[in-house]
Amino acid sequence: MKILITLLTLFSFIYAAQIDEFAAEVKYLRNYDMAIKTAKEQNKIVMLVVVADYCPWCKKFERKTLKDSTVMTKVNENFVGIVIDKYKDQGTYPEEFLTPVIPVVFFIEPKERKVLTKTVAYMKPDEFIKNMNDAVSLYKVRKK
Amino acid sequence: MRKILLVLLLSSSLFSASLYTLDNVHSLTLYFSNQTDFLNQDQEAMLKKMLTEKLKNGGFLLEETDAPVFVVKIDALEIEGTQAIHTEVGLGEDVITKRKGKIGTFAYTYLDSQFIEGYSDPYKNTLDSLTLLVDAFINAHKEDNE
């Protein structure tokens, strides 16, 4: 049984989509409900990243911004990151996040599932960090 | 035409990021291909000189072995009686793909091009267009390597 599980894990790794590899690398979740649950437990904000596998700006946003060490540290401290493919993951997340423009990042308050703020399109790490800070500030205000 | 190019230049400098990733591109091999007959040898040489100087000023080394290829292509076509010039710059290099077996191939890792109306002063229009394209490349490179 152990051998079977090991083999299945190995095969799932070999055939993992690029989005799964990216999620594993930056430690983001791939399931919306799990992200909400985890954020509630850890008193963090859900950071929902919506991308698509054909979108070059999304790839650049992942490579240059979301993999940036400062951004990764910031995510780890204050957020529960989740990345979804706009089309391939359709049905697993609320339709309100099916936006025409990608990449888009929603910062979501997990208890009421309300969007605190969002960023649209590619942005550099320093610019994105400002938006993350805004989300944290808004979250603190909401909690009071 | 110059006004249009100026507006394009200004707007492109306001948003200089490109969708490509140009991290750690330090050296280039310039490959120049002119597939038109409206540029004489002197004009071609002047275009190459402009490109070389701009790339060197942009911080690129141009004499290195196995450097990525900075491709510059000029061709022309006629659309309903109007001659159009097509200018293109690209960065070509050997890459390892994410395909099964991690297949290596030659690929463009940067590409930008323009169609311009060229019958009035084809050399000047080509020069302006290539200046715009190479500046956009240098700006994108600078932004990615900040």
Side-chain angles (χ1 to χ4, degrees):
Chain A
M1 188 61 178
K2 271 185 180 175
I3 294 169
L4 185 64
I5 291 169
T6 308
L7 282 173
L8 282 171
T9 309
L10 188 66
F11 280 121
S12 68
F13 178 74
I14 290 168
Y15 294 109
Q18 286 178 33
I19 192 169
D20 296 321
E21 288 174 18
F22 167 74
E25 202 174 332
V26 292
K27 298 186 174 68
Y28 286 10
L29 299 177
R30 293 276 294 116
N31 179 281
Y32 179 77
D33 291 329
M34 182 62 77
I36 291 285
K37 185 172 175 276
T38 309
K40 276 184 192 168
E41 286 168 2
Q42 297 181 2
N43 197 22
K44 289 180 175 177
I45 304 162
V46 172
M47 190 179 101
L48 172 67
V49 182
V50 185
V51 295
D53 56 3
Y54 61 83
C55 160
W57 282 109
C58 302
K59 303 284 184 196
K60 181 157 183 171
F61 185 55
E62 291 171 4
R63 274 195 303 268
K64 296 280 290 182
T65 303
L66 299 178
K67 284 186 186 175
D68 176 85
S69 58
T70 314
V71 171
M72 283 177 69
T73 305
K74 195 104 190 146
V75 171
N76 192 39
E77 283 170 2
N78 300 291
F79 302 88
V80 172
I82 165 175
V83 60
I84 55 167
D85 185 296
K86 179 182 166 180
Y87 294 114
K88 306 270 168 65
D89 293 325
Q90 209 170 342
T92 68
Y93 64 91
E95 277 198 4
E96 64 179 295
F97 303 122
L98 185 63
T99 58
V101 181
I102 48 170
V104 60
V105 180
F106 293 96
F107 296 98
I108 305 161
E109 189 282 309
K111 281 183 186 161
E112 292 180 18
R113 301 190 178 206
K114 293 266 171 68
V115 176
L116 295 163
T117 183
K118 68 176 179 179
T119 70
V120 179
Y122 168 79
M123 57 179 64
K124 292 191 287 184
D126 52 348
E127 200 182 342
F128 186 65
I129 286 167
K130 282 180 196 164
N131 283 275
M132 294 170 91
N133 290 337
D134 287 347
V136 172
S137 302
L138 284 167
Y139 186 54
K140 283 177 181 167
V141 170
R142 285 274 179 98
K143 271 173 50 179
K144 282 179 185 172
Chain B
M1 176 56 81
R2 289 177 68 83
K3 279 182 187 169
I4 294 168
L5 284 171
L6 187 64
V7 169
L8 280 172
L9 181 63
L10 286 172
S11 57
S12 72
S13 65
L14 289 174
F15 188 70
S16 54
S18 84
L19 60 87
Y20 302 98
T21 302
L22 296 170
D23 293 34
N24 297 337
V25 179
H26 302 304
S27 54
L28 297 170
T29 298
L30 178 62
Y31 175 79
F32 185 93
S33 169
N34 170 30
Q35 293 163 18
T36 70
D37 53 11
F38 59 74
L39 295 172
N40 61 39
Q41 281 190 338
D42 288 346
Q43 289 172 329
E44 216 178 278
M46 283 191 285
L47 290 176
K48 284 181 194 168
K49 190 176 173 224
M50 178 277 289
L51 292 162
T52 304
E53 282 176 0
K54 276 198 171 287
L55 291 172
K56 280 185 176 171
N57 290 337
F60 295 101
L61 300 171
L62 296 182
E63 314 297 336
E64 303 285 299
T65 308
D66 293 336
V69 184
F70 188 74
V71 179
V72 178
K73 273 170 62 181
I74 308 163
D75 53 24
L77 67 161
E78 198 172 299
I79 305 166
E80 293 180 356
T82 301
Q83 191 186 19
I85 301 166
H86 179 227
T87 52
E88 182 177 286
V89 301
L91 186 71
E93 57 190 324
D94 280 323
V95 297
I96 305 293
T97 65
K98 287 184 178 269
R99 298 176 210 160
K100 188 181 174 187
K102 294 186 175 177
I103 305 299
T105 184
F106 181 84
Y108 275 112
T109 52
Y110 180 92
L111 197 61
D112 197 1
S113 67
Q114 286 190 333
F115 279 100
I116 48 174
E117 200 181 64
Y119 62 88
S120 56
D121 187 349
Y123 167 69
K124 184 74 184 112
N125 289 335
T126 304
L127 176 68
D128 285 347
S129 173
L130 287 181
T131 302
L132 185 72
L133 290 172
V134 75
D135 281 345
F137 172 77
I138 290 166
N139 285 337
H141 174 265
K142 193 176 165 188
E143 178 144 322
D144 274 346
N145 287 277
E146 275 172 353

